[in-house]
Structures are given as C-alpha cells and as structure tokens.
C-alpha cells in the first residue's frame, strides 16, 4: 500500500504574485501581459508558469488558422519580432463530400465571419514556443516538465496555488529510489490555463459549482496529421473545410486541409463527441476520410511526418461556466472559448489571458489577494470574446438537433441574421441538453461499422501513427487513467455498449483482451496516451478520470 501524506516529506514552497497553470496561448498571454503592465507601472510582479509537457509547446495541437486579433493586442509588432506565422490565407474552400464526389459551396453564401481573409496558417506549437521566449525575456519563470497535480486552498476555501506531482513513484504507488516530493507554488492569484477538460479545472468546477448557471460543456475530438506533399500540389495559403462523408447525417463533424510553409499540409478531422453509435471510431473515420478521391490526390507522392489528437471545447457561449472564484480564474480552452464554426480558439485564449492579467494586476495594485477577480468575469462577458461567441451560439446545438444538412443550414441562417440584425436572431438561444457521455445508444440497437484496413501509405493503424506523436511516459508509474470502479468496463460497458473505449481512444490505450481462462479483461496501455482526454469525456459510465502523469510525459509535438 502506498504511504500516506503523513509519512511523506514536507513539500518545499515558493511564493509568487501570480501562478499560471499551462503554457499555452492563454497562460503565456496572461504572463506576458502582467509583465508588460508591471513594467509600465515600474513595479515588480512575480509570475511563474507551470507546463506539464517536456517543453513549452510539446502538448500544443491545433489546425491551425490563426486569427491574429489576440496577438495584435498582446504584441502589436509580432511580425517584426519574428513570430512564426508567415503564410497568409489566400483562398477559402467549403466542400460537401459524398462517397465519390463533392460539391463546393459558393463563398458568397457563407456568413462574413467565416471568411479567413487576414488570418495566418501555421503551427500553433511553434507560436507558443515563440510566446514562451517573449515571456522569458520579460522575466517570467517558466517550468516545463512539471505537472500541476493538486490545487491548494487556505482555511477559508480560497485557492492559494498548486502543488506539482511527486516524481519517482512506482506503479504500485510506492516511492522508488528516484523519488522526489512535489513542490508547492503559492500565489496571490492562480490562473488555470490547462486547455480542454483540464484535470484541475474539472475539480474546480465541481468544488465551486461553477457550471450551475451554464449548459453542459460539449466537446469534439480533433485528429491531425502533418504531411509533406509534392511541390506541384502545394498551394500556400489554401484553406479547405469539408463536412458530410464519411459521417452519416446524424453525426456532426468535418475536416480541414491547410497548405503552408515548405510544402506542408495540415490535415485534420473533427468529430463531435455527442455521436450515438458505440461502434464508431473517430480515428478510423479520419483515416477513411483521406481515401476520398478529392482528398487522396493531395497526398499521393507525399509523406506523413506527424500525428496527434486532442479534445476541443464546443459548447460555446451557453457552456461557459462561472470564470472567477476565490483566488483564481479559468482562462482559454479551460473555460471553453472556441468558436465552433470557425474552428478557432487561440485568438480568444489570448484575449482571455489579457483580460485575466488586467484584472489580476489591478487587484494586486489595490493590495488584494485570494479574492474573486470579478473584473475578469465582466470583461469576458461584455468584451470581444462575448461578441465572437454570441453570434455563433446556435451552430453546434442546431447541428446536433437537426442533423448535418438541415442543422448546418439553420446554423448558417442564424449567423447571417445575427450579422444583419446587429446580433439578434428570431431563433433565440438553443440549449445543448445532455453531456456527451450520455449520448450513446445501446450496442444492440446500433449497427457495427466495418472500417477498411490501413494501407500504410495513405492510411495508418493507430499504433504506427502514435509513434509519430513522439509520445513517451515513464512506464513504472501509477496509471494516470483512473477507473472509479474497475469492474465497470467488462460488467457494464462491454455488454451494453460493446466497450466503446476501444474505439473512441485515438491512441490504442484501451483494449478488451482474453486472459488465460478465456475471460475478457480490460487492458489499459497508459504509455500510449496522447493526453486527448476523450476517455474522461465520452465514457458512458463516467468511470474514467484522466489525471496528470509524471511531468514531461505524453506527446512531444514538434510543429503541430
């Protein structure tokens, strides 16, 4: 049995003005803004950023077509400073795919907000690395490879910081020779920028009942490959989005192809996690999508050079929880600021970091600490983020309720009406309804799906692709995918839902295998995990909890 807290050595503690959890666009934007404001005031405000990835940007996965409005506000001369965004969008294409053909939608039918003119294609991971450099130059302390594993509270219940996870704990929970106790990082305010379905964010939402006035958060899973294609097929600046095949009319999702850089194409597939068929495999739908004649031709003669997957927040305006609580706030995708029809969230993440920084610096200047940063909440709900998300609020629930053809059409109409009528629409605001974990039908009422075998050239099996994510975990550590009841996968999920974890996981983490007695057992290959969090979201029994493994573990996305 593992040793109790009382038997462990006391943690060392470090004090800061502001502690930030997560070195993504939101967390780094907040850190940079705090230091900018401190310099303007001639003050010294100490800021630390914790990042669970092995380096800044290691866990960043996005398309990405970047709306620069956040960067423009944070670092107006970002181009002159060498930010790695050099490919401007030159052409938008919107396609509806059928099994063998496609129809291109006229751009004039698309609401103006869907126009990518003025946006940039690039690697968000590289942008985040660059933001990390800017933050470090301003004096921000950044600690990659350290996972925030616990929220710290004072005697009044206010957040006072976080503690990093212990290192060197064996699979059995016992300290190894390499054991090192985690460290406490205490701050007057703590900003949580963990991204979609953050493990600490999840506990904060529950503890402070932050979702009491919002709809359930909705999610998608985004799968992406980076390809180097033949030069004659490369069209720098082309942005192509599709919906339709291979998904049926009831299942929401679509694809993207972005041409940028040196013969690079980012190809991705986003599937809404409120799908119904337990036999559906998001990963295999992505692979099948690439076999469409319109898509296959792009990649013939090319080579896949990277792969990854992660969850996306899709609830939008209706699902934003209360953002501020005693001692802390939620920023970026931890709060759920992605614009679903645009498939963009980095601009709002940066804007939220700026808003949180403004509120924190003002509070510190007034001598406050560990209270509620209500100014941040107000800034988000009345500012640029609100204007961006309110006008697309119905796209996701309309798609979910009415299916692809009618739902997408109604969503487009709603966006047009809000554009023409100064934000108003007769459709009002639709609700999302139940969480994604509650949408699967029973296996006996669902049709199994036969997916084609991968050819190893255009399409690939899961484990081969996972090797292109550079995922690595220390194997002798506690499994970070925690089952509330270990009997549920075989006793409940297998007979009722054909154990969907085998299929919804994009990394082959979960398997149902036979033991020596011929009985099914649930096997967890935690070392394969790419930290997408889909299992924590989609499990129909809500039996899987994703927690941080040892710091530095997980994928190491190079240019994703």
């Amino acid at each position: 049995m593992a040793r109790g807290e009382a038997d462990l050595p006391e943690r060392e503690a470090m004090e800061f003005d502001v502690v930030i959890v997560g070195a993504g666009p939101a967390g780094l934007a907040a850190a940079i803004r705090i230091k900018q404001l401190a310099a303007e005031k001639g003050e010294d405000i100490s800021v630390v950023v914790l990042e669970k990835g092995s380096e800044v940007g290691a866990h960043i996965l996005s398309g990405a077509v970047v709306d620069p409005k956040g960067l423009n506000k944070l670092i107006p001369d970002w181009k002159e400073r060498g930010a790695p965004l050099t490919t401007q969008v030159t052409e938008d294409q919107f396609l509806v795919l059928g099994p063998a053909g496609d129809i291109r939608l006229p751009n004039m039918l698309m609401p103006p907000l869907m126009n990518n003119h003025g946006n940039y294609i690039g690697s968000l991971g590289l942008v985040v690395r660059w933001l990390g450099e800017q933050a470090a130059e301003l004096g921000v302390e950044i600690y990659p490879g350290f996972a925030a594993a616990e929220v710290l509270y004072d005697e009044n219940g206010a957040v006072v910081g976080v503690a990093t996870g212990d290192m060197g704990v064996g699979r059995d929970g016992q300290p190894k020779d390499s054991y090192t106790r985690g460290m406490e990082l205490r701050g007057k305010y703590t900003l949580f920028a963990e991204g979609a379905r953050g493990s600490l964010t999840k506990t904060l939402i529950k503890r402070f009942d932050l979702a009491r006035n919002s709809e359930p958060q909705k999610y998608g899973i985004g799968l992406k490959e980076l390809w180097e294609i033949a030069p004659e097929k490369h069209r720098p600046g082309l942005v192509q989005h599709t919906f339709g095949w291979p998904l049926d009319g009831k299942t929401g999702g679509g694809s993207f192809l972005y041409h940028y850089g040196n013969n690079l194409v980012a190809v991705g597939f986003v599937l809404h996690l409120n799908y119904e068929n337990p036999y559906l495999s998001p990963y295999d739908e992505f692979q099948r999508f690439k076999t469409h004649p319109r898509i296959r031709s792009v990649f013939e003669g090319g080579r896949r050079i990277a792969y990854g997957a992660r969850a996306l927040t899709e609830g939008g305006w209706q699902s934003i929880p209360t953002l501020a609580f005693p001692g802390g706030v939620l920023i970026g995708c931890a709060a759920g600021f992605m614009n679903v029809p645009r498939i963009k969230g980095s601009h709002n993440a940066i804007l939220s970091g700026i808003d949180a920084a403004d509120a924190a610096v003002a509070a510190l200047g007034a001598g406050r600490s560990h209270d509620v940063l209500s100014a941040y909440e107000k800034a988000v709900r009345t500012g640029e983020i609100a204007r961006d998300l309110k006008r697309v609020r119905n796209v996701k629930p309309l798609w979910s309720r009415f299916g692809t053809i009618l739902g997408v059409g109604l969503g487009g109409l709603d966006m047009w009406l809000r554009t023409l009528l100064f934000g108003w629409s007769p459709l009002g605001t639709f609700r999302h309804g139940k969480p994604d974990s509650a949408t699967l039908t029973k296996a006996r009422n669902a049709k199994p799906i036969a997916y084609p075998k991968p050819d190893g050239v255009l399409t690939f099996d899961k484990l081969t692709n996972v090797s292109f994510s550079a995922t690595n975990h220390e194997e002798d550590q506690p499994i970070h995918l925690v089952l509330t009841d270990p009997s549920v996968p075989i006793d409940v999920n297998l007979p009722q839902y054909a154990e969907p974890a085998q299929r919804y996981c994009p990394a082959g983490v979960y398997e149902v295998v036979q033991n020596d007695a011929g009985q099914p057992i649930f096997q967890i290959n935690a070392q394969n995990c790419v930290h997408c969090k889909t299992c924590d979201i989609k499990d129909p029994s809500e039996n899987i909890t994703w927690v941080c493994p040892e710091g530095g573990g997980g994928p190491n996305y190079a240019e994703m």
Side-chain angles (χ1 to χ4, degrees):
M1 181 177 294
R3 296 196 299 181
E5 281 287 321
D7 300 322
L8 296 173
E10 188 174 346
R11 293 187 182 116
E12 294 184 16
M14 299 174 66
E15 299 282 345
F16 297 89
D17 292 312
V18 180
V19 175
I20 300 174
V21 181
L28 291 172
I32 290 169
R33 180 70 164 186
I34 290 170
K35 284 296 190 179
Q36 289 172 337
L37 293 173
E40 290 174 7
K41 296 173 178 287
E43 300 174 353
D44 182 20
I45 300 177
S46 58
V47 183
V48 65
V49 180
L50 282 178
E51 168 53 43
K52 66 183 176 67
S54 61
E55 60 181 357
V56 173
H59 289 178
I60 296 296
L61 181 76
S62 183
V65 174
V66 176
D67 182 336
K69 68 167 62 173
L71 274 177
N72 291 341
K73 187 172 183 179
L74 181 68
I75 305 175
D77 60 344
W78 58 268
K79 293 180 185 178
E80 292 76 12
R81 287 174 175 260
L85 283 176
T86 58
T87 303
Q88 272 197 281
V89 176
T90 58
E91 182 181 359
D92 268 319
Q93 292 184 1
F94 301 92
L95 306 175
V96 182
L97 299 186
D102 62 85
I103 299 173
R104 180 173 176 182
L105 300 178
N107 285 29
M108 62 182 296
L109 293 180
M110 308 305 293
L113 65 90
M114 298 297 290
N115 188 337
N116 278 300
H117 177 74
N119 295 334
Y120 290 80
I121 309 171
S123 161
L124 190 61
L126 292 181
V127 173
V128 164
R129 284 181 175 85
W130 177 82
L131 285 172
E133 294 168 0
Q134 308 309 302
E137 289 177 6
L138 291 170
V140 176
E141 295 187 46
I142 304 176
Y143 297 150
F146 289 90
E150 178 186 346
V151 181
L152 304 176
Y153 302 93
D154 66 12
E155 63 277 6
N156 298 315
V159 173
V160 294
V162 295
T164 63
D166 295 350
M167 306 284 280
V169 178
R171 179 66 63 95
D172 60 0
Q174 294 286 355
K176 300 184 292 187
D177 291 341
S178 59
Y179 176 79
T180 304
R181 187 77 161 114
M183 179 173 286
E184 293 184 358
L185 294 102
R186 294 178 168 268
K188 296 173 182 175
Y189 293 103
T190 305
L191 316 183
F192 293 87
E194 297 181 287
R197 196 70 168 192
S199 52
L200 297 185
T201 300
K202 185 178 170 183
T203 66
L204 290 164
I205 290 173
K206 182 176 181 180
R207 182 183 180 102
F208 292 107
D209 197 18
L210 302 179
R212 62 188 177 276
N213 296 319
S214 60
E215 285 285 290
Q217 185 58 264
K218 306 296 286 184
Y219 296 91
I221 178 173
L223 306 105
K224 175 184 173 181
E225 292 172 357
L226 185 63
W227 281 69
E228 183 180 13
I229 66 168
E232 64 272 16
K233 297 181 179 181
H234 195 240
R235 299 170 60 182
L238 172 62
V239 168
Q240 184 183 91
H241 292 107
T242 78
F243 60 92
W245 189 89
L247 303 178
D248 62 30
K250 297 189 299 181
T251 305
S255 79
F256 61 82
L257 268 78
Y258 303 150
H259 292 240
Y260 72 103
N262 188 18
N263 299 322
L264 296 178
V265 171
V267 55
F269 198 81
V270 177
L271 194 141
H272 302 175
L273 285 177
N274 61 353
Y275 67 83
E276 298 177 355
N277 189 340
Y279 292 106
L280 186 148
S281 164
Y283 177 86
D284 291 300
E285 296 292 348
F286 174 36
Q287 297 304 304
R288 183 161 63 167
F289 151 76
K290 290 186 294 176
T291 67
H292 190 278
R294 180 68 178 250
I295 308 303
R296 173 190 291 271
S297 61
V298 176
F299 299 108
E300 289 175 344
R303 66 185 184 99
R304 170 241 14 222
I305 56 179
Y307 165 76
R310 76 155 297 120
L312 314 170
T313 52
E314 294 188 338
W317 181 250
Q318 299 93 312
S319 298
I320 296 175
T322 299
L323 300 170
F325 42 89
V329 297
L330 306 180
I331 63 177
C333 284
F337 296 141
M338 192 181 90
N339 184 311
V340 172
R342 299 182 73 201
I343 326 179
K344 290 178 181 62
S346 61
H347 62 297
N348 284 336
I350 292 173
L351 291 172
S352 72
I354 292 171
D355 288 341
D358 290 349
V361 170
L364 292 170
R368 294 161 45 198
S369 64
H370 306 139
D371 59 354
V372 178
L373 292 175
S374 55
Y376 167 65
E377 185 98 31
K378 181 178 180 180
V380 169
R381 296 189 182 275
T382 60
E384 292 180 81
I385 295 173
R387 289 191 291 273
D388 188 59
L389 296 182
K390 280 184 175 181
R391 57 184 176 169
V392 301
R393 72 184 82 171
N394 282 336
V395 172
K396 177 65 165 65
L398 285 170
W399 195 337
S400 299
R401 182 173 299 190
F402 296 108
T404 298
I405 301 302
L406 181 57
V408 170
L410 287 172
L413 175 63
D414 189 63
M415 286 189 285
W416 264 115
L417 289 171
R418 294 184 191 280
T419 299
L420 298 173
L421 301 177
F422 306 100
W424 181 81
S425 168
L427 295 180
T429 300
F430 276 71
R431 303 181 65 180
H432 290 301
K434 53 191 175 184
D436 295 330
S437 58
T439 62
L440 288 179
T441 59
K442 298 296 176 62
R444 65 176 179 271
N445 300 322
K447 182 179 179 180
I449 302 173
Y451 291 105
K453 291 183 178 181
D455 61 19
V457 178
L458 175 67
T459 58
F460 311 97
D461 64 85
K462 284 183 183 179
L463 294 185
T464 297
N465 244 353
V466 168
S467 70
F468 282 78
S469 68
T471 294
N472 182 60
H473 294 90
E474 165 62 49
E475 292 200 23
D476 186 16
Q477 66 171 303
I479 292 176
H480 66 280
L481 305 153
V482 181
L483 302 180
T484 304
D485 182 346
S487 70
V488 163
I490 299 303
D491 294 348
V492 178
N493 286 356
L494 185 60
Q496 293 191 17
Y497 302 101
E499 186 41 85
Q502 305 172 86
R503 292 172 291 278
Y504 61 59
C505 173
V509 170
Y510 302 103
E511 295 181 280
V512 174
V513 299
Q514 303 292 320
N515 64 13
D516 293 339
Q519 299 172 322
I521 60 173
F522 190 61
Q523 180 168 295
I524 301 177
N525 306 309
Q527 68 275 12
N528 292 354
C529 179
V530 295
H531 297 200
C532 74
K533 318 288 182 68
T534 303
C535 55
D536 195 298
I537 298 164
K538 189 59 178 173
D539 180 62
S541 299
E542 297 185 349
N543 189 53
I544 301 174
T545 298
W546 190 99
V547 298
C548 282
E550 278 194 4
N556 282 278
Y557 298 132
E559 297 187 18
M560 297 285 273

